[in-house]
Amino acid sequence: MPDASTSAKGDLKLLNLTKSFGDFKAVDDLTLTIPEGSFFALLGPSGCGKTTTLRMIAGLEDPTSGKISIGTTDITDKRPYQRPVNTVFQNYALFPHLTIFENIAFGLRRRGVKDVKAQVDKVLNLVELPHLADRKPTQLSGGQQQRIAVARAIVNRPALLLLDEPLGALDLKLRRQMQIELKWIQTEVGLTFVHVTHDQEEAMTMADTIAVMNEGRIEQMGTPAELYDNPKTAFVANFLGQSNLIQGTIIDADGDFHVVDLYGQKVKVLKARSHSKNNSVLYAIRPEKLRIDNDGHTRPGNTFKGGHIVDVSYIGVSTQYQVEMPWGQEIMVFEQNDDGVPPLDKGDEVTLTWEPAFSFALDGSQDVNAGSEVNPEEE
Amino acid sequence: MAEVVRTSGGATAELKKKSLIPYFLLAPGLLWLALFFVAPIITLVGTATKTQGAGIGEFIQTYRWANYWDALTGASAQFGRSFLYAFIATLLALAIAYPLAYGIAFKSGKYKNILLVLVVAPFFCSFILRTIAWKQILGQNGPVFRTLVDLHLISSTTHITASVPAVIIGLAYNFLPFMTLPLYGSLERIDPRVLEASGDLYANAFTTFRRVTVPLSMPGVVAGTLLTFIPAAGDYVNAEILGNPSTKMIGNVINAQFLNTQDYPTAAALSFILMIAISIMVMIYVRKAGTEELV
């Protein structure tokens, strides 16, 4: 029977949440508020603690310390079946012995809901699979099982829907389609979705807010655009998309800008986009923000001179260049193929140009490769 | 694809040759079955219709099918007893084996393999010897009897050996591994995330057990109960060692008819009837259990 806790509504609050396995801290002092009705993504490489966080919210894992509450109700010590939370499991975990109808009806029947048939039919229509009600899960394709797993959870209208790598088992094309569908379902039913994934594109497509996790902590939280446009750590800069990070020193100020010395070349970065506490910085610029020209050609903005192309990959919509700089570092450049000009050749001497406002600067003590060594596609 | 096969004669011949391979592979097994199962069964059916000849142990084929009926009516009490004892022993074995298999599958951690070896360990010792050991365990000087007397549950002048419970306990004990292993197999195969999903969908531990674990372990229950009931129904060792003259099972009758009385036709008829009866029960049971989709 639903008591106060199973009917709790409101924002999800995690307070100093910690989970240790022996000496290893899977989740380390996590404090987080997820607003009611939002689509929230926990993004990070495998082992970053995102799944452990999700399992603690579901009640499948007991926190070592900290609190979890929904609205004003503390659910930290509630059993999984006492929480207003439902989960879409990674491999769906549909009941193999029950029909699709009974799978979806399972939660409703446990709560003693009266109009089971009407509610199951309604949600089957929502996921557009009403004709599969009498089948068994093994008779369904992966994409259909995925939708049934979502239906089985949302039919209960939980305060919180948890999605654990829900699209991980699907092929790329189906995954893209399901991303759009999940986002649509979330808007339609208006529930809070907490989505765990290692796929940055998946998180960016669906979520309103993303929290990037690394080693049990949140590196940065914000909208997809904020995180991509203005990362605050090297890990986020490398994990979300790609970044060129160049070691440098702030040597001067010029209005709203810092002047940074990069191996003898002077460039600028907005003070507001500089996240270093001291003068040592990692100067950062996204590959698609760079313009590439044969040496000698000039454009307004900051420039790097004296690079030469070591690799060219023609992708169709764009061409990707690897440019080796005089100090030995390779810089990545993505050039849109929108001007009808044939791509430059390997070995060409080039000048790179960019708008200073697009760059950002990070604390210089970080590892340049943080977040880029982990393969985001790995399970 | 079909066209390729039609236009190329060589490929067709190749296919024909390949399609014979399974039969070659099956041949030794089929031959074995024919020699040691089909042939003896036919002999058994034939022996059952013979009648007494001149000397003891001499029988003439007279196709007296009424032998079957005579055998059945003559041993109906033992037939009934066999199925009843086997049924109760199967339930008892299920009640013991289910928690055991559940514990090994879900709660044993690193001790899983050791526990599985322990389940099978009794097989390293002779069946007869273990049954005789039960006579000691349940005997007047054994731990079970004394404990029950001390607890004033039974009187010290009675006995537990040579009784119906002793036979049933012996049967349940002897076939326990056959019940435990299939149960363990099907419980161990259950995806733990399915159990988590049940908890996530508002089912408490008991409801999860009843609605998810038990249905998903049904293949193991069916296999285990069959592997226990079938040999238990035909068993005569437990009734012989742990029973008394009024606990005789059909196995004891067949044994006596073959070896003591040397009434081969009756023994053969009883054997055949037992086999048919068990086959029919198994068919009905499997049909009722309806686990075809899960197995």
Side-chain angles (χ1 to χ4, degrees):
Chain A
M1 286 294 107
D3 62 9
S5 59
T6 57
S7 59
K9 283 263 175 270
D11 299 350
L12 172 73
K13 289 193 194 76
L14 310 181
L15 189 68
N16 305 114
L17 200 62
T18 301
K19 176 71 184 180
S20 308
F21 297 102
D23 290 339
F24 175 68
K25 276 191 174 169
V27 176
D28 191 1
D29 199 29
L30 194 75
T31 296
L32 182 65
T33 299
I34 298 174
E36 187 177 1
S38 65
F39 200 132
F40 190 93
L42 279 171
L43 173 68
S46 49
C48 73
K50 57 190 193 298
T51 297
T52 309
T53 305
L54 194 82
R55 290 174 63 81
M56 284 193 283
I57 300 170
L60 300 170
E61 208 86 66
D62 292 326
T64 309
S65 62
K67 273 196 186 317
I68 304 167
S69 55
I70 294 175
T72 52
T73 315
D74 185 342
I75 61 162
T76 317
D77 299 320
K78 297 283 178 198
R79 310 297 309 149
Y81 58 87
Q82 295 167 324
R83 300 183 184 210
V85 173
N86 290 114
T87 310
V88 177
F89 289 84
Q90 189 164 8
N91 288 328
Y92 320 134
L94 298 175
F95 302 119
H97 60 298
L98 298 179
T99 61
I100 295 309
F101 184 93
E102 286 303 325
N103 260 280
I104 297 174
F106 194 91
L108 298 174
R109 293 205 196 283
R110 299 292 84 75
R111 289 184 302 136
V113 170
K114 290 280 177 289
D115 53 342
V116 172
K117 171 108 177 72
Q119 294 207 33
V120 174
D121 286 346
K122 200 172 139 198
V123 78
L124 270 171
N125 280 318
L126 181 75
V127 296
E128 294 172 342
L129 295 173
H131 55 290
L132 298 180
D134 298 326
R135 303 263 184 97
K136 290 280 179 76
T138 48
Q139 297 169 297
L140 269 56
S141 71
Q144 290 170 336
Q145 289 186 35
Q146 214 285 325
R147 280 189 242 182
I148 297 305
V150 173
R152 183 178 69 170
I154 61 176
V155 74
N156 301 296
R157 305 203 65 84
L160 205 60
L161 184 79
L162 307 177
L163 302 114
D164 184 8
E165 303 271 8
L167 310 177
L170 304 179
D171 63 54
L172 190 69
K173 209 168 172 185
L174 200 53
R175 216 185 299 170
R176 297 281 170 265
Q177 187 192 328
M178 283 306 300
Q179 286 170 11
I180 296 164
E181 224 164 280
L182 273 178
K183 179 73 198 165
W184 178 81
I185 288 171
Q186 195 262 340
T187 324
E188 197 73 4
V189 296
L191 302 173
T192 313
F193 277 35
V194 179
H195 173 214
V196 154
T197 182
H198 62 260
D199 183 338
Q200 47 117 348
E201 195 175 327
E202 192 174 300
M204 292 179 83
T205 313
M206 294 195 281
D208 310 319
T209 311
I210 299 174
V212 181
M213 277 189 83
N214 183 30
E215 294 178 347
R217 292 169 172 278
I218 289 178
E219 286 267 333
Q220 191 177 348
M221 203 168 97
T223 66
E226 278 165 15
L227 289 179
Y228 186 81
D229 204 46
N230 193 7
K232 293 197 167 62
T233 67
F235 182 90
V236 176
N238 287 324
F239 195 77
L240 257 83
Q242 286 162 303
S243 298
N244 295 303
L245 301 179
I246 305 154
Q247 204 79 50
T249 315
I250 297 173
I251 51 168
D252 203 357
D254 177 8
D256 291 339
F257 289 89
H258 286 306
V259 178
V260 184
D261 176 276
L262 302 177
Y263 300 96
Q265 312 213 28
K266 287 184 183 50
V267 297
K268 286 180 183 175
V269 62
L270 278 168
K271 283 176 181 168
R273 291 164 65 88
S274 180
H275 310 296
S276 182
K277 290 178 189 72
N278 53 42
N279 287 338
S280 163
V281 294
L282 288 175
Y283 189 87
I285 181 83
R286 296 279 188 189
E288 74 280 5
K289 302 290 195 315
L290 290 164
R291 294 282 162 270
I292 188 165
D293 295 289
N294 276 313
D295 223 5
H297 186 97
T298 52
R299 292 180 194 242
N302 287 163
T303 54
F304 279 150
K305 287 194 172 64
H308 69 274
I309 296 172
V310 290
D311 192 46
V312 184
S313 312
Y314 181 77
I315 310 291
V317 291
S318 67
T319 305
Q320 303 191 356
Y321 297 97
Q322 294 282 347
V323 179
E324 190 178 297
M325 301 314 291
W327 58 89
Q329 188 176 359
E330 281 183 13
I331 300 280
M332 216 174 331
V333 182
F334 299 161
E335 179 90 330
Q336 286 292 311
N337 293 329
D338 56 359
D339 49 9
V341 178
L344 302 172
D345 292 321
K346 199 171 162 179
D348 283 3
E349 297 287 320
V350 291
T351 299
L352 305 181
T353 321
W354 69 96
E355 185 62 46
F358 290 153
S359 65
F360 49 96
L362 309 170
D363 189 289
S365 62
Q366 300 175 87
D367 177 7
V368 171
N369 293 316
S372 60
E373 283 143 340
V374 284
N375 177 7
E377 290 297 322
E378 105 189 325
E379 281 299 309
Chain B
M1 282 298 278
E3 240 167 329
V4 176
V5 175
R6 226 182 294 133
T7 51
S8 146
T12 318
E14 186 77 5
L15 268 178
K16 262 189 190 157
K17 208 186 273 175
K18 264 188 191 158
S19 66
L20 284 177
I21 290 174
Y23 296 103
F24 283 126
L25 291 174
L26 278 173
L30 289 174
L31 202 67
W32 181 274
L33 267 182
L35 266 177
F36 298 108
F37 182 69
V38 180
I41 291 276
I42 292 168
T43 316
L44 193 72
V45 172
T47 307
T49 55
K50 288 181 178 175
T51 41
Q52 181 71 48
I56 289 169
E58 263 180 57
F59 296 93
I60 310 152
Q61 183 58 275
T62 54
Y63 298 104
R64 191 174 178 277
W65 297 98
N67 277 356
Y68 280 102
W69 181 250
D70 292 349
L72 180 62
T73 47
S76 58
Q78 286 89 342
F79 263 116
R81 214 175 278 146
S82 289
F83 294 132
L84 181 67
Y85 291 0
F87 178 72
I88 299 171
T90 304
L91 287 185
L92 188 60
L94 181 64
I96 298 167
Y98 205 103
L100 180 63
Y102 187 92
I104 297 174
F106 294 120
K107 311 280 182 198
S108 61
K110 60 179 174 176
Y111 299 109
K112 187 179 276 187
N113 289 333
I114 296 174
L115 289 170
L116 282 173
V117 170
L118 287 178
V119 168
V120 193
F123 285 142
F124 294 124
C125 180
S126 149
F127 180 69
I128 307 278
L129 212 60
R130 283 183 281 127
T131 312
I132 292 172
W134 270 99
K135 210 171 171 177
Q136 307 283 326
I137 295 168
L138 299 175
Q140 302 291 86
N141 295 318
V144 176
F145 184 79
R146 280 207 307 254
T147 310
L148 290 176
V149 169
D150 288 349
L151 291 169
H152 300 288
L153 289 171
I154 56 170
S155 138
S156 59
T157 56
T158 58
H159 55 88
I160 355 176
T161 48
S163 69
V164 176
V167 175
I168 292 172
I169 289 171
L171 287 169
Y173 161 77
N174 273 309
F175 299 106
L176 194 62
F178 296 114
M179 180 68 90
T180 311
L181 292 179
L183 275 176
Y184 165 78
S186 64
L187 285 167
E188 203 261 349
R189 264 210 315 268
I190 297 176
D191 182 354
R193 274 174 303 204
V194 171
L195 303 179
E196 286 183 349
S198 172
D200 188 68
L201 292 162
Y202 313 104
N204 58 30
F206 177 71
T207 311
T208 298
F209 179 73
R210 201 163 65 92
R211 297 278 178 182
V212 183
T213 311
V214 169
L216 288 177
S217 67
M218 276 318 282
V221 173
V222 171
T225 47
L226 288 179
L227 287 175
T228 306
F229 181 81
I230 296 170
D235 182 78
Y236 67 95
V237 173
N238 286 283
E240 188 72 50
I241 297 175
L242 298 169
N244 62 46
S246 67
T247 65
K248 283 207 184 314
M249 294 168 70
I250 196 63
N252 303 86
V253 178
I254 296 170
N255 180 45
Q257 297 286 10
F258 260 121
L259 301 178
N260 303 347
T261 332
Q262 295 188 347
D263 182 357
Y264 299 141
T266 306
L270 289 173
S271 300
F272 192 71
I273 293 168
L274 178 65
M275 205 177 74
I276 295 299
I278 288 178
S279 304
I280 292 171
M281 284 185 215
V282 166
M283 270 190 321
I284 295 170
Y285 177 56
V286 171
R287 186 77 48 91
K288 281 255 156 127
T291 53
E292 301 88 4
E293 277 176 67
L294 284 169
V295 185

